[in-house]
């Protein structure tokens, strides 16, 4: 099964993806994680992407699309994948469709984790992320429960950038909800609940 996750930053896409990976062994492809790794490693791509990420803007399509194509072509992606944070705008969605078509791969569902903006603001400002594996938790967690890595607050989870990220989401990413509704594969879950309650609905919606 191949899934695209939709939803504002902080809606809980990564958390639901982590759960699906643990239970079903999907490959989790988070473009945010891939980009942060590139920034940390100081690669050319990382240096190009950093200023966009720091200001809450989207990294140019050509940089991100290359990254996703490369990851999808790795052998482990054949078992089924969850794309988290991609596509982020209509050109990315159209490119993904044509790539999948050329490889005769089907996109089974676009899962929207739906959360109101005031809940998002609270969640993002108290979110902490593992420097090593990208696991996310609340501010009271200082050591990653998954790998023992150090938890930190992403620069773009600070209040000044959060507003810009939400604006970017509304303008560029939210239109994808209608895009995938039009393709007949949109599934919507209320994300303003505990991760466990959301996950239970997610499995039902996906027929898992
Ligand atoms: P995320 O971890 O998904 O919130 O992504 C963090 C940042 O990485 C975003 O604010 C963007 O600057 C960049 N980014 C992640 N995914 C994409 C994408 N598909 N297209 C463009 N920029 C992206």
């Amino acid at each position: 099964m191949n899934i695209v996750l939709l939803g504002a930053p902080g809606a809980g896409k990564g958390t639901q993806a982590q759960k699906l990976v643990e239970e079903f062994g999907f490959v989790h492809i988070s473009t945010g994680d891939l980009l942060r790794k590139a920034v940390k490693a100081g690669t050319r791509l990382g240096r190009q992407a950093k200023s966009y990420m720091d200001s809450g803007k989207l990294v140019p399509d050509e940089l991100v699309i290359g990254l996703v194509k490369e990851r999808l072509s790795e052998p482990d992606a054949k078992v089924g994948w969850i794309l988290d944070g991609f596509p982020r705008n209509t050109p990315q969605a159209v490119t993904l469709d044509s790539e999948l078509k050329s490889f005769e791969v089907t996109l089974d569902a676009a899962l929207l984790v739906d959360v109101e903006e005031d809940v998002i603001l609270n969640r993002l400002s108290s979110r902490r992320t593992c420097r090593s594996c990208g696991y996310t938790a609340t501010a009271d967690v200082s050591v990653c429960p998954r790998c023992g890595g150090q938890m930190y607050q992403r620069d773009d989870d600070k209040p000044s950038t959060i507003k810009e990220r939400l604006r970017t989401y509304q303008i560029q990413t939210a239109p994808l909800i209608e895009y995938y509704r039009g393709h007949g594969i949109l599934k919507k879950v209320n994300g303003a609940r505990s991760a466990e309650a959301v996950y239970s609905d997610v499995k039902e919606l996906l027929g898992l």
Side-chain angles (χ1 to χ4, degrees):
M1 177 169 238
N2 300 314
I3 306 161
V4 157
L5 283 178
L6 292 177
K13 302 185 295 295
T15 303
Q16 294 305 313
Q18 281 161 9
K19 288 183 175 294
L20 288 165
V21 168
E22 275 160 32
E23 189 168 351
F24 300 102
F26 294 114
V27 171
H28 178 199
I29 304 173
S30 155
T31 42
D33 283 352
L34 292 172
L35 289 166
R36 277 184 290 280
K37 249 186 221 157
V39 170
K40 195 172 162 192
T43 64
R44 194 176 131 90
L45 167 68
R47 290 196 304 275
Q48 287 171 307
K50 190 173 184 318
S51 60
Y52 297 97
M53 297 172 76
D54 285 348
S55 60
K57 299 212 160 57
L58 293 185
V59 172
D61 290 344
E62 61 273 19
L63 301 181
V64 183
I65 288 169
L67 206 59
V68 173
K69 271 194 199 168
E70 209 174 281
R71 186 63 188 89
L72 285 176
S73 67
E74 286 175 28
D76 64 345
K78 292 211 165 38
V79 299
W81 38 256
I82 303 172
L83 273 177
D84 170 5
F86 185 95
R88 215 56 168 238
N89 58 24
T90 307
Q92 291 182 8
V94 170
T95 305
L96 178 66
D97 278 347
S98 74
E99 280 295 309
L100 295 180
K101 201 167 169 199
S102 69
F103 289 104
E104 295 183 2
V105 173
T106 314
L107 179 60
D108 300 289
L111 177 69
L112 170 64
V113 184
D114 192 33
V115 180
E116 300 282 323
E117 201 163 307
D118 50 345
V119 179
I120 296 274
L121 283 170
N122 279 333
R123 278 194 192 171
L124 283 182
S125 46
S126 68
R127 178 165 79 173
R128 298 294 179 271
T129 302
C130 174
R131 272 194 203 283
S132 307
C133 75
Y135 187 90
T136 52
T138 45
D140 50 320
V141 179
S142 56
V143 175
C144 174
R146 186 161 73 181
C147 77
Q150 185 197 12
M151 304 296 285
Y152 79 114
Q153 182 173 38
R154 280 169 43 179
D155 281 343
D156 61 351
D157 278 347
K158 294 183 177 150
S160 51
T161 318
I162 291 174
K163 285 232 155 72
E164 184 58 27
R165 289 170 69 203
L166 288 173
R167 221 175 73 88
T168 303
Y169 173 77
Q170 285 307 339
I171 296 170
Q172 304 214 47
T173 313
L176 294 181
I177 298 169
E178 286 315 312
Y179 180 90
Y180 285 116
R181 204 194 302 277
H183 284 55
I185 57 167
L186 184 76
K187 317 251 177 211
K188 178 169 154 180
V189 66
N190 170 7
R193 297 172 296 153
S194 73
E196 288 68 30
V198 177
Y199 186 54
S200 160
D201 284 3
V202 164
K203 285 200 285 187
E204 203 179 315
L205 279 169
L206 297 176
L208 293 167

